[in-house]
Amino acid sequence: MSIDYNILKDKKHIHFIGIGGSGMYPLAQILFAKGYNLSGSDNNPGDTLTAVMNMGIPVTLGHFAENIDGADLIVHSAAIMKDNPELVAAREKGIPTIERSILLGIVTSWFENAVCICGTHGKTTASSMLTQIFMKAGFDPTTVIGGKLELIGGSGRVGKSENMVCEACEYVDTFLKLSPDVAVILNIDEDHMEYFKTLDNLIASFRKFAEKTTKMLVVNGDDTNTMTAVKGLDKTTVTFGLSESNDYYASNISSEVCQESHSLITRFDIYHKGALLGNISIKIPGKHNVYNALAACSAALESGVDFKDVQSAMAEFKSASRRFDVLGIRNGVTIADDYAHHPAELEATLKAALSLGFNKVWAVFQPFTFSRTAMLLDDFARVLSLADRVVLTPIMGSREINTFGIDSKDLQAKLKNCTLLDTFEEVAEFIKQNAEKDDLVITLGCGDIYKAAKLML
């Protein structure tokens, strides 16, 4: 995959189409700090777009051909269609365009310690944890993550050091455009099969990503697919997990409920090559988050962070946005929100929720993409059945056309105690009428289901 690393040379005015996206905003921050003249456009107002405008970057609400006037490079997200009027105008005027992932790849090449974190699940949480550790340890990182982290007030920041934390997404091989110095692999599970087709292809893609690292691999030694991906590579490899055969491993895992917020504090001892380093405390539930914490701790320690800094940063870490967010309690009902959209993620989140001791756990799920829903229908039914009650919304198709003939009714038919509703307003009203004191209602999905949680509150 060829990338023109000199494409920014002599460029003065760069225009971002979709500048308010969580992946675009950090790149705008970085280039703005480098002194480039930026402009942007977006269809959706929101906090991120406001943050962009507060930086002094001119932004137009809506996509129009005249928005690119004066620009000598156009950056666009993958979600921007080819017939977008600004892209059409750029082609007509001969202005070069690059997709956001290409620009991110170029940016990662600028740093001596770019830690790129990939995996089917947990990327945003682990990236947020590592950012928090680097920040608290004074490592002043530049960060590009896929969710909002309270400590940095958004999804990215510009640092002045050679340290970078970058979330690396496998979708359509996007992460193969990055230049990782340290590659962290959290796990590999069947997802995006509409693109990869087979698990072997997916594993092969992660292997290509691992081959790109210049310094070190930090990988989940308990995950069979991950270990298959890195097997035989001539790279310095550090493993983490729950098994004592790993370089870094957790033991004595315990949880306690904070009665006031019904949140769960998880504690574990962390060992390095059999030697106890100390105890780690995190304010988010679930074994899956122990793995995320181990990944972040391992990458930080291998980057030279002192363990005491790791320990204190983790104790202060608050979950990234939409990662088991407890949004509030109304009339004794706890409302939470989570980004889980794959059966493995749903299972981990629901098991963590069920461990909190609520009267009933309500799963309010918005399926995302027709292909994933169709291919993993039985798995979705299996894991959602863990909840006491399930509420479904229509499938959010996103970038896809429904050639699968799939509908949320197909999932509803496989579940007991399941209600299908068309609108978020109906969902919120249904929860208001049926949820009871000491219940947990958790909205689930990577689309806009969080809006239903806000309506409930």
Side-chain angles (χ1 to χ4, degrees):
M1 190 174 296
S2 178
I3 295 178
D4 180 5
Y5 288 94
N6 294 314
I7 196 168
L8 296 178
K9 187 178 180 181
D10 301 326
K11 299 296 187 296
K12 296 178 180 179
H13 178 181
I14 302 174
H15 179 78
F16 282 69
I17 308 176
I19 197 169
S22 62
M24 295 282 272
Y25 170 54
L27 290 173
Q29 288 178 289
I30 293 168
L31 265 61
F32 191 72
K34 290 280 187 181
Y36 289 96
N37 177 27
L38 303 186
S39 62
S41 62
D42 208 292
N43 278 331
N44 303 304
D47 293 343
T48 304
L49 200 61
T50 299
V52 171
M53 291 187 286
N54 287 342
M55 290 167 59
I57 297 173
V59 173
T60 302
L61 197 59
H63 299 307
F64 308 100
E66 57 267 26
N67 290 345
I68 70 166
D69 289 350
D72 47 22
L73 179 67
I74 308 296
V75 180
H76 62 94
S77 68
I80 301 300
M81 306 300 286
K82 290 182 179 180
D83 61 355
N84 179 280
E86 296 179 22
L87 276 185
V88 171
R91 287 194 294 270
E92 291 174 349
K93 295 181 178 182
I95 302 173
T97 65
I98 58 171
E99 203 265 315
R100 173 243 176 212
S101 60
I102 297 288
L103 179 58
L104 180 59
I106 293 170
V107 168
T108 58
S109 72
W110 296 344
F111 295 84
E112 291 183 5
N113 188 45
V115 183
C116 299
I117 300 178
C118 70
T120 312
H121 323 293
K123 295 182 288 291
T124 297
T125 298
S127 299
S128 298
M129 287 174 167
L130 183 58
T131 296
Q132 179 115 359
I133 294 170
F134 276 171
M135 291 280 290
K136 292 293 184 179
F139 274 46
D140 193 19
T142 294
T143 299
V144 178
I145 55 180
K148 293 181 180 179
L149 176 62
E150 183 177 310
L151 180 66
I152 63 174
S155 57
R157 76 178 298 270
V158 180
K160 296 180 180 179
S161 74
E162 289 295 329
N163 296 296
M164 182 181 190
V165 179
C166 177
E167 183 172 330
C169 182
E170 77 278 8
Y171 176 64
V172 297
D173 283 328
T174 297
F175 62 175
L176 298 185
K177 299 167 185 173
L178 305 182
S179 298
D181 297 298
V182 178
V184 180
I185 304 180
L186 300 170
N187 43 62
I188 303 174
D189 202 357
E190 289 192 49
D191 199 9
H192 305 304
M193 287 296 108
E194 77 284 359
Y195 174 76
F196 290 107
K197 308 300 182 186
T198 68
L199 179 60
D200 286 343
N201 289 341
L202 178 62
I203 291 173
S205 186
F206 274 87
R207 184 177 183 85
K208 290 177 183 177
F209 177 73
E211 287 173 337
K212 291 174 67 70
T213 190
T214 61
K215 291 181 181 178
M216 182 185 304
L217 295 170
V218 179
V219 301
N220 183 345
D222 293 349
D223 186 66
T224 302
N225 292 336
T226 297
M227 295 310 291
T228 298
V230 302
K231 184 178 180 180
L233 289 182
D234 185 21
K235 302 285 183 181
T236 300
T237 302
V238 174
T239 59
F240 63 86
L242 304 187
S243 168
E244 294 183 7
S245 61
N246 290 297
D247 296 306
Y248 292 91
Y249 63 90
S251 185
N252 301 320
I253 301 171
S254 63
S255 301
E256 62 185 66
V257 177
C258 175
Q259 294 296 336
E260 183 177 338
S261 65
H262 282 291
S263 62
L264 189 69
I265 297 175
T266 304
R267 306 182 195 278
F268 61 89
D269 291 330
I270 184 170
Y271 289 79
H272 180 230
K273 295 187 182 297
L276 175 64
L277 297 178
N279 186 262
I280 296 291
S281 173
I282 54 177
K283 295 176 181 177
I284 45 177
K287 186 172 74 172
H288 60 300
N289 280 317
V290 173
Y291 277 101
N292 292 332
L294 281 169
C297 292
S298 302
L301 291 166
E302 293 296 326
S303 295
V305 179
D306 184 80
F307 177 72
K308 288 185 177 180
D309 290 326
V310 171
Q311 198 174 35
S312 61
M314 293 300 286
E316 296 175 17
F317 177 76
K318 293 182 180 179
S319 178
S321 176
R322 304 213 59 218
R323 272 68 182 177
F324 213 112
D325 268 351
V326 176
L327 302 179
I329 301 173
R330 298 290 187 273
N331 299 319
V333 178
T334 300
I335 308 295
D337 175 56
D338 194 274
Y339 193 75
H341 56 282
H342 183 279
E345 296 166 345
L346 289 169
E347 183 173 20
T349 299
L350 288 174
K351 283 183 175 178
L354 289 164
S355 73
L356 292 172
F358 286 93
N359 178 40
K360 289 194 297 290
V361 172
W362 293 70
V364 180
F365 179 54
Q366 179 190 46
F368 188 77
T369 72
F370 303 112
S371 58
R372 181 185 287 118
T373 307
M375 293 176 181
L376 302 176
L377 186 66
D378 288 340
D379 286 332
F380 277 120
R382 175 181 57 81
V383 299
L384 285 170
S385 66
L386 293 170
D388 298 295
R389 296 288 302 271
V390 178
V391 177
L392 294 177
T393 72
I395 298 168
M396 187 174 190
S398 183
R399 52 189 174 263
E400 295 182 341
I401 298 172
N402 189 6
T403 59
F404 299 85
I406 191 72
D407 189 278
S408 289
K409 291 178 182 177
D410 300 313
L411 182 53
Q412 181 190 25
K414 293 177 176 288
L415 293 165
K416 297 178 180 179
N417 298 319
C418 178
T419 302
L420 173 59
L421 298 168
D422 286 334
T423 69
F424 294 159
E425 288 78 10
E426 290 175 298
V427 169
E429 184 62 26
F430 183 80
I431 291 298
K432 178 183 174 182
Q433 296 298 328
N434 292 279
E436 300 173 337
K437 186 176 183 295
D438 295 327
D439 284 359
L440 168 67
V441 179
I442 183 164
T443 51
L444 300 155
C446 66
D448 59 352
I449 189 64
Y450 62 90
K451 295 176 181 176
K454 292 183 178 180
L455 286 173
M456 293 173 202
L457 291 173

PDB file of all heavy atoms in Angstrom, residues 299-324:
ATOM      1  N   ALA A 299       2.145  -1.679  27.653  1.00  0.00           N
ATOM      2  CA  ALA A 299       2.706  -0.746  26.668  1.00  0.00           C
ATOM      3  C   ALA A 299       3.370   0.442  27.352  1.00  0.00           C
ATOM      4  O   ALA A 299       4.426   0.922  26.917  1.00  0.00           O
ATOM      5  CB  ALA A 299       1.608  -0.266  25.720  1.00  0.00           C
ATOM      6  N   ALA A 300       2.769   0.914  28.447  1.00  0.00           N
ATOM      7  CA  ALA A 300       3.335   2.047  29.178  1.00  0.00           C
ATOM      8  C   ALA A 300       4.661   1.679  29.840  1.00  0.00           C
ATOM      9  O   ALA A 300       5.654   2.406  29.733  1.00  0.00           O
ATOM     10  CB  ALA A 300       2.343   2.538  30.230  1.00  0.00           C
ATOM     11  N   LEU A 301       4.661   0.552  30.516  1.00  0.00           N
ATOM     12  CA  LEU A 301       5.878   0.120  31.213  1.00  0.00           C
ATOM     13  C   LEU A 301       7.013  -0.140  30.224  1.00  0.00           C
ATOM     14  O   LEU A 301       8.167   0.214  30.488  1.00  0.00           O
ATOM     15  CB  LEU A 301       5.590  -1.129  32.045  1.00  0.00           C
ATOM     16  CG  LEU A 301       4.666  -0.895  33.257  1.00  0.00           C
ATOM     17  CD1 LEU A 301       4.157  -2.218  33.807  1.00  0.00           C
ATOM     18  CD2 LEU A 301       5.392  -0.108  34.348  1.00  0.00           C
ATOM     19  N   GLU A 302       6.681  -0.731  29.069  1.00  0.00           N
ATOM     20  CA  GLU A 302       7.707  -0.980  28.057  1.00  0.00           C
ATOM     21  C   GLU A 302       8.174   0.309  27.395  1.00  0.00           C
ATOM     22  O   GLU A 302       9.244   0.355  26.793  1.00  0.00           O
ATOM     23  CB  GLU A 302       7.179  -1.961  27.011  1.00  0.00           C
ATOM     24  CG  GLU A 302       6.934  -3.366  27.535  1.00  0.00           C
ATOM     25  CD  GLU A 302       8.211  -4.066  27.992  1.00  0.00           C
ATOM     26  OE1 GLU A 302       9.273  -3.818  27.385  1.00  0.00           O
ATOM     27  OE2 GLU A 302       8.141  -4.855  28.966  1.00  0.00           O
ATOM     28  N   SER A 303       7.375   1.374  27.519  1.00  0.00           N
ATOM     29  CA  SER A 303       7.761   2.684  26.984  1.00  0.00           C
ATOM     30  C   SER A 303       8.546   3.498  28.007  1.00  0.00           C
ATOM     31  O   SER A 303       8.924   4.641  27.722  1.00  0.00           O
ATOM     32  CB  SER A 303       6.512   3.468  26.548  1.00  0.00           C
ATOM     33  OG  SER A 303       5.859   2.832  25.472  1.00  0.00           O
ATOM     34  N   GLY A 304       8.753   2.931  29.198  1.00  0.00           N
ATOM     35  CA  GLY A 304       9.581   3.596  30.194  1.00  0.00           C
ATOM     36  C   GLY A 304       8.847   4.318  31.293  1.00  0.00           C
ATOM     37  O   GLY A 304       9.463   5.041  32.087  1.00  0.00           O
ATOM     38  N   VAL A 305       7.530   4.149  31.387  1.00  0.00           N
ATOM     39  CA  VAL A 305       6.769   4.785  32.467  1.00  0.00           C
ATOM     40  C   VAL A 305       7.013   4.043  33.773  1.00  0.00           C
ATOM     41  O   VAL A 305       7.043   2.814  33.818  1.00  0.00           O
ATOM     42  CB  VAL A 305       5.257   4.786  32.138  1.00  0.00           C
ATOM     43  CG1 VAL A 305       4.461   5.432  33.271  1.00  0.00           C
ATOM     44  CG2 VAL A 305       5.005   5.531  30.834  1.00  0.00           C
ATOM     45  N   ASP A 306       7.179   4.788  34.843  1.00  0.00           N
ATOM     46  CA  ASP A 306       7.378   4.198  36.163  1.00  0.00           C
ATOM     47  C   ASP A 306       6.073   3.552  36.638  1.00  0.00           C
ATOM     48  O   ASP A 306       4.989   4.092  36.410  1.00  0.00           O
ATOM     49  CB  ASP A 306       7.817   5.277  37.152  1.00  0.00           C
ATOM     50  CG  ASP A 306       8.143   4.715  38.533  1.00  0.00           C
ATOM     51  OD1 ASP A 306       9.242   4.185  38.702  1.00  0.00           O
ATOM     52  OD2 ASP A 306       7.269   4.798  39.424  1.00  0.00           O
ATOM     53  N   PHE A 307       6.179   2.414  37.324  1.00  0.00           N
ATOM     54  CA  PHE A 307       4.973   1.694  37.729  1.00  0.00           C
ATOM     55  C   PHE A 307       4.071   2.540  38.627  1.00  0.00           C
ATOM     56  O   PHE A 307       2.838   2.471  38.518  1.00  0.00           O
ATOM     57  CB  PHE A 307       5.316   0.386  38.438  1.00  0.00           C
ATOM     58  CG  PHE A 307       4.081  -0.330  38.928  1.00  0.00           C
ATOM     59  CD1 PHE A 307       3.218  -0.947  38.033  1.00  0.00           C
ATOM     60  CD2 PHE A 307       3.754  -0.339  40.282  1.00  0.00           C
ATOM     61  CE1 PHE A 307       2.058  -1.577  38.485  1.00  0.00           C
ATOM     62  CE2 PHE A 307       2.598  -0.963  40.735  1.00  0.00           C
ATOM     63  CZ  PHE A 307       1.752  -1.587  39.824  1.00  0.00           C
ATOM     64  N   LYS A 308       4.640   3.346  39.495  1.00  0.00           N
ATOM     65  CA  LYS A 308       3.800   4.162  40.380  1.00  0.00           C
ATOM     66  C   LYS A 308       2.934   5.140  39.580  1.00  0.00           C
ATOM     67  O   LYS A 308       1.799   5.421  39.968  1.00  0.00           O
ATOM     68  CB  LYS A 308       4.687   4.913  41.390  1.00  0.00           C
ATOM     69  CG  LYS A 308       5.296   4.007  42.453  1.00  0.00           C
ATOM     70  CD  LYS A 308       6.056   4.804  43.493  1.00  0.00           C
ATOM     71  CE  LYS A 308       6.588   3.879  44.590  1.00  0.00           C
ATOM     72  NZ  LYS A 308       7.351   4.639  45.626  1.00  0.00           N
ATOM     73  N   ASP A 309       3.485   5.649  38.482  1.00  0.00           N
ATOM     74  CA  ASP A 309       2.693   6.522  37.620  1.00  0.00           C
ATOM     75  C   ASP A 309       1.583   5.746  36.928  1.00  0.00           C
ATOM     76  O   ASP A 309       0.467   6.248  36.754  1.00  0.00           O
ATOM     77  CB  ASP A 309       3.588   7.203  36.581  1.00  0.00           C
ATOM     78  CG  ASP A 309       4.518   8.242  37.196  1.00  0.00           C
ATOM     79  OD1 ASP A 309       4.100   8.897  38.171  1.00  0.00           O
ATOM     80  OD2 ASP A 309       5.646   8.397  36.707  1.00  0.00           O
ATOM     81  N   VAL A 310       1.896   4.522  36.518  1.00  0.00           N
ATOM     82  CA  VAL A 310       0.883   3.651  35.923  1.00  0.00           C
ATOM     83  C   VAL A 310      -0.241   3.406  36.923  1.00  0.00           C
ATOM     84  O   VAL A 310      -1.430   3.542  36.616  1.00  0.00           O
ATOM     85  CB  VAL A 310       1.501   2.304  35.485  1.00  0.00           C
ATOM     86  CG1 VAL A 310       0.410   1.316  35.061  1.00  0.00           C
ATOM     87  CG2 VAL A 310       2.499   2.509  34.358  1.00  0.00           C
ATOM     88  N   GLN A 311       0.142   3.074  38.122  1.00  0.00           N
ATOM     89  CA  GLN A 311      -0.811   2.734  39.188  1.00  0.00           C
ATOM     90  C   GLN A 311      -1.748   3.904  39.503  1.00  0.00           C
ATOM     91  O   GLN A 311      -2.974   3.739  39.561  1.00  0.00           O
ATOM     92  CB  GLN A 311      -0.010   2.336  40.429  1.00  0.00           C
ATOM     93  CG  GLN A 311      -0.767   1.568  41.477  1.00  0.00           C
ATOM     94  CD  GLN A 311       0.175   1.116  42.587  1.00  0.00           C
ATOM     95  OE1 GLN A 311       1.130   1.817  42.955  1.00  0.00           O
ATOM     96  NE2 GLN A 311      -0.083  -0.059  43.113  1.00  0.00           N
ATOM     97  N   SER A 312      -1.183   5.105  39.659  1.00  0.00           N
ATOM     98  CA  SER A 312      -2.005   6.254  40.036  1.00  0.00           C
ATOM     99  C   SER A 312      -2.903   6.695  38.881  1.00  0.00           C
ATOM    100  O   SER A 312      -4.052   7.090  39.081  1.00  0.00           O
ATOM    101  CB  SER A 312      -1.122   7.413  40.491  1.00  0.00           C
ATOM    102  OG  SER A 312      -0.251   7.833  39.457  1.00  0.00           O
ATOM    103  N   ALA A 313      -2.399   6.610  37.653  1.00  0.00           N
ATOM    104  CA  ALA A 313      -3.199   7.005  36.490  1.00  0.00           C
ATOM    105  C   ALA A 313      -4.384   6.072  36.301  1.00  0.00           C
ATOM    106  O   ALA A 313      -5.504   6.510  36.012  1.00  0.00           O
ATOM    107  CB  ALA A 313      -2.335   7.016  35.234  1.00  0.00           C
ATOM    108  N   MET A 314      -4.168   4.780  36.488  1.00  0.00           N
ATOM    109  CA  MET A 314      -5.255   3.822  36.324  1.00  0.00           C
ATOM    110  C   MET A 314      -6.321   3.997  37.399  1.00  0.00           C
ATOM    111  O   MET A 314      -7.515   3.836  37.135  1.00  0.00           O
ATOM    112  CB  MET A 314      -4.712   2.394  36.336  1.00  0.00           C
ATOM    113  CG  MET A 314      -3.836   2.056  35.139  1.00  0.00           C
ATOM    114  SD  MET A 314      -4.702   2.228  33.560  1.00  0.00           S
ATOM    115  CE  MET A 314      -5.749   0.798  33.611  1.00  0.00           C
ATOM    116  N   ALA A 315      -5.898   4.329  38.597  1.00  0.00           N
ATOM    117  CA  ALA A 315      -6.858   4.522  39.695  1.00  0.00           C
ATOM    118  C   ALA A 315      -7.769   5.721  39.420  1.00  0.00           C
ATOM    119  O   ALA A 315      -8.919   5.754  39.874  1.00  0.00           O
ATOM    120  CB  ALA A 315      -6.116   4.714  41.011  1.00  0.00           C
ATOM    121  N   GLU A 316      -7.267   6.699  38.664  1.00  0.00           N
ATOM    122  CA  GLU A 316      -8.046   7.897  38.350  1.00  0.00           C
ATOM    123  C   GLU A 316      -8.819   7.767  37.048  1.00  0.00           C
ATOM    124  O   GLU A 316      -9.646   8.620  36.726  1.00  0.00           O
ATOM    125  CB  GLU A 316      -7.115   9.107  38.252  1.00  0.00           C
ATOM    126  CG  GLU A 316      -6.423   9.457  39.562  1.00  0.00           C
ATOM    127  CD  GLU A 316      -5.428  10.592  39.385  1.00  0.00           C
ATOM    128  OE1 GLU A 316      -5.518  11.307  38.352  1.00  0.00           O
ATOM    129  OE2 GLU A 316      -4.556  10.764  40.244  1.00  0.00           O
ATOM    130  N   PHE A 317      -8.554   6.724  36.274  1.00  0.00           N
ATOM    131  CA  PHE A 317      -9.147   6.601  34.948  1.00  0.00           C
ATOM    132  C   PHE A 317     -10.658   6.445  35.017  1.00  0.00           C
ATOM    133  O   PHE A 317     -11.183   5.617  35.751  1.00  0.00           O
ATOM    134  CB  PHE A 317      -8.550   5.398  34.214  1.00  0.00           C
ATOM    135  CG  PHE A 317      -9.169   5.147  32.858  1.00  0.00           C
ATOM    136  CD1 PHE A 317      -8.846   5.946  31.777  1.00  0.00           C
ATOM    137  CD2 PHE A 317     -10.085   4.119  32.677  1.00  0.00           C
ATOM    138  CE1 PHE A 317      -9.413   5.727  30.532  1.00  0.00           C
ATOM    139  CE2 PHE A 317     -10.658   3.881  31.439  1.00  0.00           C
ATOM    140  CZ  PHE A 317     -10.315   4.678  30.360  1.00  0.00           C
ATOM    141  N   LYS A 318     -11.333   7.280  34.249  1.00  0.00           N
ATOM    142  CA  LYS A 318     -12.771   7.146  34.073  1.00  0.00           C
ATOM    143  C   LYS A 318     -13.011   6.680  32.647  1.00  0.00           C
ATOM    144  O   LYS A 318     -12.380   7.140  31.716  1.00  0.00           O
ATOM    145  CB  LYS A 318     -13.472   8.489  34.319  1.00  0.00           C
ATOM    146  CG  LYS A 318     -13.393   8.953  35.758  1.00  0.00           C
ATOM    147  CD  LYS A 318     -14.156  10.261  35.947  1.00  0.00           C
ATOM    148  CE  LYS A 318     -14.078  10.723  37.393  1.00  0.00           C
ATOM    149  NZ  LYS A 318     -14.799  12.014  37.590  1.00  0.00           N
ATOM    150  N   SER A 319     -13.924   5.773  32.489  1.00  0.00           N
ATOM    151  CA  SER A 319     -14.161   5.149  31.204  1.00  0.00           C
ATOM    152  C   SER A 319     -14.304   6.168  30.084  1.00  0.00           C
ATOM    153  O   SER A 319     -14.848   7.252  30.269  1.00  0.00           O
ATOM    154  CB  SER A 319     -15.429   4.298  31.273  1.00  0.00           C
ATOM    155  OG  SER A 319     -15.703   3.711  30.017  1.00  0.00           O
ATOM    156  N   ALA A 320     -13.792   5.810  28.915  1.00  0.00           N
ATOM    157  CA  ALA A 320     -14.012   6.635  27.736  1.00  0.00           C
ATOM    158  C   ALA A 320     -15.508   6.714  27.459  1.00  0.00           C
ATOM    159  O   ALA A 320     -16.278   5.843  27.866  1.00  0.00           O
ATOM    160  CB  ALA A 320     -13.272   6.042  26.535  1.00  0.00           C
ATOM    161  N   SER A 321     -15.903   7.754  26.778  1.00  0.00           N
ATOM    162  CA  SER A 321     -17.315   7.950  26.478  1.00  0.00           C
ATOM    163  C   SER A 321     -17.912   6.734  25.791  1.00  0.00           C
ATOM    164  O   SER A 321     -17.300   6.127  24.926  1.00  0.00           O
ATOM    165  CB  SER A 321     -17.464   9.178  25.574  1.00  0.00           C
ATOM    166  OG  SER A 321     -18.800   9.361  25.186  1.00  0.00           O
ATOM    167  N   ARG A 322     -19.127   6.371  26.239  1.00  0.00           N
ATOM    168  CA  ARG A 322     -19.882   5.263  25.682  1.00  0.00           C
ATOM    169  C   ARG A 322     -19.238   3.910  25.979  1.00  0.00           C
ATOM    170  O   ARG A 322     -19.452   2.937  25.238  1.00  0.00           O
ATOM    171  CB  ARG A 322     -20.118   5.408  24.171  1.00  0.00           C
ATOM    172  CG  ARG A 322     -20.800   6.698  23.740  1.00  0.00           C
ATOM    173  CD  ARG A 322     -21.684   6.497  22.535  1.00  0.00           C
ATOM    174  NE  ARG A 322     -22.712   5.497  22.799  1.00  0.00           N
ATOM    175  CZ  ARG A 322     -23.125   4.612  21.894  1.00  0.00           C
ATOM    176  NH1 ARG A 322     -22.594   4.589  20.695  1.00  0.00           N
ATOM    177  NH2 ARG A 322     -24.065   3.752  22.204  1.00  0.00           N
ATOM    178  N   ARG A 323     -18.459   3.809  27.018  1.00  0.00           N
ATOM    179  CA  ARG A 323     -17.902   2.531  27.459  1.00  0.00           C
ATOM    180  C   ARG A 323     -18.389   2.286  28.884  1.00  0.00           C
ATOM    181  O   ARG A 323     -17.785   2.697  29.849  1.00  0.00           O
ATOM    182  CB  ARG A 323     -16.376   2.526  27.386  1.00  0.00           C
ATOM    183  CG  ARG A 323     -15.838   2.087  26.024  1.00  0.00           C
ATOM    184  CD  ARG A 323     -16.143   3.085  24.948  1.00  0.00           C
ATOM    185  NE  ARG A 323     -15.670   2.660  23.616  1.00  0.00           N
ATOM    186  CZ  ARG A 323     -15.878   3.348  22.516  1.00  0.00           C
ATOM    187  NH1 ARG A 323     -16.536   4.491  22.562  1.00  0.00           N
ATOM    188  NH2 ARG A 323     -15.445   2.910  21.356  1.00  0.00           N
ATOM    189  N   PHE A 324     -19.547   1.645  28.997  1.00  0.00           N
ATOM    190  CA  PHE A 324     -20.255   1.429  30.267  1.00  0.00           C
ATOM    191  C   PHE A 324     -20.367   2.730  31.053  1.00  0.00           C
ATOM    192  O   PHE A 324     -20.020   2.822  32.228  1.00  0.00           O
ATOM    193  CB  PHE A 324     -19.595   0.342  31.111  1.00  0.00           C
ATOM    194  CG  PHE A 324     -20.581  -0.452  31.923  1.00  0.00           C
ATOM    195  CD1 PHE A 324     -20.817  -1.779  31.646  1.00  0.00           C
ATOM    196  CD2 PHE A 324     -21.298   0.132  32.962  1.00  0.00           C
ATOM    197  CE1 PHE A 324     -21.742  -2.518  32.384  1.00  0.00           C
ATOM    198  CE2 PHE A 324     -22.223  -0.583  33.700  1.00  0.00           C
ATOM    199  CZ  PHE A 324     -22.443  -1.919  33.413  1.00  0.00           C
TER     200      PHE A 324
END
